[in-house]
């Protein structure tokens, strides 16, 4: 089955700086890679996603890049704000179900 | 956007009792729903895939006789934790994929926090 690894597990940045979270996956059949933001005690919220036929996607301060050959994808958040503080999960969808990474606790320091 | 509801949002029960959790897709039909369990400071772990009209598919290590899943209709799946024990205390979240033109985006319910005393 699919195996998704995520790094780092914790990340602290100063407000206004950029944050990068990286994930690798194992199943070359995976073709959909969403990123979720989860605040404490709440449901995961989809923030951006990318399919395997695209190398990069951007939505305002958030961007995702995908390298199919190397089987890794990354989340980039620019101009971070305190409200960006949360746990971020990457996921890969190969056969209709999501496999999640272990999560990254992002803290944006004011 | 697509909405998935979950009920109850939290439950406290005594050891040995059974707890039923409902997951509903409110504005779309879902032939498949997924049940996850999340322990504190950990990732979401898929427990089982709920299939409307057929048996659920359980992940390795998940006891199907303990976690009963029934996909009663195209908008409702239920998870029953039978004979709950303290180690079953966790955050249970369901999700339902909504097919789009090019992708299947999964929408998550708000979760159910279970505490077994």
């Amino acid at each position: 089955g699919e195996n998704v690894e995520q790094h780092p597990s914790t990340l602290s940045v100063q407000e206004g700086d950029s944050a990068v979270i990286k994930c690798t996956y194992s199943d070359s059949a995976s073709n959909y890679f969403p990123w979720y933001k989860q605040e404490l005690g709440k449901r995961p919220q989809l923030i951006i996603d990318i399919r395997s036929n695209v190398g990069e996607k951007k939505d305002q301060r958030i961007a995702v890049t995908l390298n199919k050959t190397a089987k890794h994808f990354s989340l980039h958040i620019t101009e971070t704000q305190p409200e960006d503080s949360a746990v971020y999960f990457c996921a890969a969808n190969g056969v209709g179900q999501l496999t999640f990474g272990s999560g990254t606790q992002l803290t944006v320091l004011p | 956007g697509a909405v998935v509801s979950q009920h109850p949002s939290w439950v406290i029960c005594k050891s040995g009792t059974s707890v039923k959790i409902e997951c509903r897709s409110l504005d779309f039909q879902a032939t498949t729903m997924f049940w996850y369990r999340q322990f504190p400071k950990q990732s979401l772990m898929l427990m089982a895939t709920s299939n409307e009209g057929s048996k659920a598919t359980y992940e390795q290590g998940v006891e199907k006789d303990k976690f009963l899943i029934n996909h009663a209709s195209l908008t409702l799946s239920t998870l029953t934790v039978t004979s709950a024990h303290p180690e079953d205390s966790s955050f249970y979240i369901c999700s339902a994929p909504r097919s789009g033109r090019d992708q299947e985006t999964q929408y998550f319910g708000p979760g159910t926090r279970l505490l077994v005393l």
Side-chain angles (χ1 to χ4, degrees), chain A residues 36 38 43 49 51 96 101, chain B residues 34 38 43 102-103 106 108-109:
Chain A
Y36 289 88
Q38 187 180 29
R43 78 182 86 193
D49 54 16
R51 286 187 66 82
Chain B
F34 300 98
Q38 186 177 34
S43 187
D102 298 313
Q103 63 195 41
Q106 288 206 26
F108 284 86

Side-chain angles (χ1 to χ4, degrees), chain A residues 32 36 38 41-44 46 49 51 89 93 96-98 100-102, chain B residues 4 34 36 38 43-44 46 59 91 102-106 108-110 113:
Chain A
Y32 176 60
Y36 289 88
Q38 187 180 29
K42 297 188 177 180
R43 78 182 86 193
L46 178 70
D49 54 16
R51 286 187 66 82
F89 292 99
N93 183 336
Q97 64 184 47
L98 288 177
F100 284 85
S102 53
Chain B
V4 175
F34 300 98
Y36 296 86
Q38 186 177 34
S43 187
L44 288 87
L46 180 65
E59 296 300 300
F91 192 47
D102 298 313
Q103 63 195 41
E104 285 198 358
T105 301
Q106 288 206 26
F108 284 86
R113 193 162 300 280

Side-chain angles (χ1 to χ4, degrees), chain B residues 31-66:
Chain B
T31 56
T32 300
M33 292 183 176
F34 300 98
W35 286 97
Y36 296 86
R37 181 167 52 183
Q38 186 177 34
F39 292 108
K41 297 189 178 182
Q42 293 189 23
S43 187
L44 288 87
M45 298 302 297
L46 180 65
M47 298 175 65
T49 302
S50 174
N51 304 299
E52 192 273 336
S54 63
K55 292 182 179 179
T57 305
Y58 290 82
E59 296 300 300
Q60 191 173 10
V62 178
E63 299 174 56
K64 62 179 181 180
D65 294 330
K66 179 171 181 62

